[in-house]
Amino acid sequence: MNCLVINKAWKGGMDQVRVIEIKKSIFEDNDRDADRLRSELRDKGVFLLNLMSSPGSGKTTTLIKTINTLKDRMHIAVMEADIDSDVDARKILEATGVQSIQLHTGGMCHLDAEMTRQGLDNLDLGSVDLAVLENVGNLVCPAEFDTGSSKNCMILSVPEGHDKPLKYPLMFSICDLVLINKIDVMPYFDFDLDLCEKYIHMRNPKAEVIPICAKTGEGIERFAAWLESQVSDWKEAR
Amino acid sequence: MHELGVVFHCIKEVNEIAAENKVSRVSSVTIQLGEVSTVIPYLFEDCWNWAVKKETVLKDCRIKIEIIPAVTLCEDCKREYPTVQHGKTCPYCGSLNTYLVQGNEFMIKEIEVVDKAPGSVET
């Protein structure tokens, strides 16, 4: 690293005080780690999906449905990140049978690239085509830390309201895919799907949107097909 | 919670910089924080003051925060305006074809370090 000493001054006694100019983004190291991890995963042919959302929007249920739809077509592994407990990793394992591990963030609100790497090191990636990182339920911090994922996906559930893209612009601007979950309860929440898509595209014109209902399975096949084509593109680009 | 996470990141970076420069004590860190960087200055400061108590090289290190105002440029009328008041919509021509010029920075600007005189006792 290039550090420039710009000021030297003697201050009292014999101790010397100096100022080191840094001018470095605090996220710079993480961005570099993330890029390195992404290229390693590309070489291995492992597609990493970073799945984000608010707490309670249905990440784990959506994952279970999707994995059960896809598991005969590809090898899948899951990393569940939470502040504490291993309920989600157990739930995934019991409901799908795919390898699943729990990561604890130790109170932190997000995962960074280094924590993601440590998680991946604990998986047997040998034949894995798709690794899913279920990030901590939070719409702020995970958006700021690149995990090294191949693609970012977030779930917005109907009870959260169609105006959420306006309230958390950064999260929506970094997502390649937005799943709108719990569409079965849309009539009860005055949720305007068209308006929601419009707000998402105001923040990110490139984001794809798939309405789903993890409970009834509606839209899950479309999400599975999206994943399948992403995984095959990822492998072809090797 | 978010501020604590970024404080840990910042402390890690400063510790690495200190090690590279063979510095045994950092007395203050100056960061530049954009107005729309999603980090709240007073919460960052609170988390910082709590976290550095447990540090060695950064023990009780002071934090200085410089705020960088958020400015958005309109691609259509080429004028700049303050982001916080007007958001994504240009107040002059109503265009949404605008982008942030500055204001999402989160930088370590400089650190102040203390080099102990040879033979002096660490305190």
Side-chain angles (χ1 to χ4, degrees):
Chain A
M1 188 190 313
N2 297 317
C3 289
L4 180 66
V5 180
I6 57 161
N7 180 20
K8 280 200 171 202
W10 289 98
K11 191 178 165 188
M14 292 293 284
D15 292 347
Q16 190 185 29
V17 174
R18 65 192 159 110
V19 172
I20 305 179
E21 191 183 27
I22 312 290
K23 286 275 182 204
K24 184 185 177 198
S25 165
I26 290 170
F27 299 130
E28 199 178 289
D29 271 6
N30 185 60
D31 290 347
R32 208 172 28 238
D33 289 348
D35 283 339
R36 203 178 304 132
L37 181 59
R38 206 166 5 253
S39 79
E40 287 169 24
L41 288 171
R42 192 185 282 278
D43 292 343
K44 285 183 191 154
V46 177
F47 178 90
L48 176 64
L49 182 77
N50 177 20
L51 184 62
M52 297 169 284
S53 82
S54 313
S57 65
K59 285 188 296 297
T60 311
T61 310
T62 303
L63 262 185
I64 289 171
K65 283 272 177 181
T66 310
I67 292 168
N68 283 334
T69 304
L70 269 179
K71 68 182 177 192
D72 296 333
R73 304 186 230 164
M74 61 173 73
H75 288 106
I76 305 170
V78 177
M79 295 182 285
E80 289 286 332
D82 280 301
I83 288 170
D84 204 355
S85 99
D86 62 353
V87 288
D88 278 353
R90 271 175 201 276
K91 218 189 282 177
I92 294 275
L93 180 68
E94 282 163 18
T96 68
V98 304
Q99 349 174 22
S100 163
I101 57 166
Q102 184 78 45
L103 308 178
H104 283 168
T105 60
M108 297 271 275
C109 47
H110 63 274
L111 281 183
D112 60 18
E114 181 52 37
M115 293 187 254
T116 308
R117 178 189 291 281
Q118 287 171 17
L120 288 165
D121 286 347
N122 284 291
L123 285 172
D124 176 12
L125 287 180
S127 60
V128 167
D129 307 296
L130 167 66
V132 182
L133 170 65
E134 190 186 314
N135 215 313
V136 182
N138 179 339
L139 292 184
V140 183
C141 330
E144 288 190 83
F145 288 88
D146 188 344
T147 56
S149 63
S150 317
K151 294 278 167 168
N152 292 321
C153 171
M154 69 122 4
I155 304 179
L156 166 64
S157 68
V158 164
E160 295 169 59
H162 54 242
D163 50 2
K164 212 143 199 187
L166 302 179
K167 296 193 260 184
Y168 298 88
L170 184 64
M171 173 55 77
F172 287 87
S173 71
I174 61 142
C175 276
D176 302 285
L177 175 67
V178 178
L179 299 174
I180 300 181
N181 191 20
K182 308 189 188 178
I183 53 168
D184 55 333
V185 296
M186 212 145 51
Y188 304 100
F189 285 92
D190 294 328
F191 187 92
D192 187 331
L193 188 59
D194 292 336
L195 195 55
C196 185
E197 285 198 38
K198 192 183 140 204
Y199 289 154
I200 293 168
H201 290 133
M202 263 167 70
R203 295 295 167 244
N204 182 358
K206 289 190 203 131
E208 288 183 62
V209 178
I210 303 179
I212 62 163
C213 175
K215 197 176 165 195
T216 63
E218 194 181 344
I220 294 293
E221 181 51 49
R222 223 181 122 193
F223 177 39
W226 182 88
L227 281 169
E228 236 179 343
S229 90
Q230 294 293 332
V231 169
S232 91
D233 289 353
W234 185 252
K235 286 179 185 277
E236 267 170 39
R238 261 195 284 181
Chain B
M1 205 159 140
H2 174 63
E3 277 69 15
L4 186 58
V6 292
V7 158
F8 286 147
H9 258 270
C10 187
I11 286 177
K12 187 174 155 228
E13 295 268 336
V14 176
N15 268 324
E16 281 167 18
I17 293 163
E20 278 168 32
N21 289 276
K22 300 187 170 52
V23 166
S24 59
R25 194 171 124 67
V26 179
S27 49
S28 83
V29 171
T30 306
I31 62 163
Q32 289 178 315
L33 205 53
E35 238 181 335
V36 293
S37 66
T38 77
V39 177
I40 313 294
Y42 78 90
L43 290 177
F44 186 92
E45 200 174 338
D46 273 358
C47 293
W48 177 274
N49 290 335
W50 174 81
V52 290
K53 286 194 172 72
K54 302 170 177 187
E55 290 296 313
T56 319
V57 176
L58 271 80
K59 178 112 177 110
D60 296 328
C61 173
R62 270 180 309 132
I63 186 77
K64 298 176 188 168
I65 302 176
E66 292 178 6
I67 303 295
I68 298 177
V71 177
T72 296
L73 173 74
C74 174
E75 277 283 277
D76 290 339
C77 73
K78 306 289 176 201
R79 292 169 82 171
E80 290 185 344
Y81 63 87
T83 314
V84 174
Q85 275 131 287
H86 304 288
K88 186 130 177 77
T89 313
C90 174
Y92 302 110
C93 70
S95 169
L96 280 173
N97 188 16
T98 57
Y99 68 89
L100 193 69
V101 185
Q102 61 166 56
N104 65 349
E105 296 79 3
F106 186 24
M107 310 264 297
I108 301 174
K109 184 189 178 196
E110 60 190 30
I111 65 174
E112 193 185 80
V113 305
V114 181
D115 296 318
K116 289 278 165 201
S120 70
V121 182
E122 283 288 331
T123 51

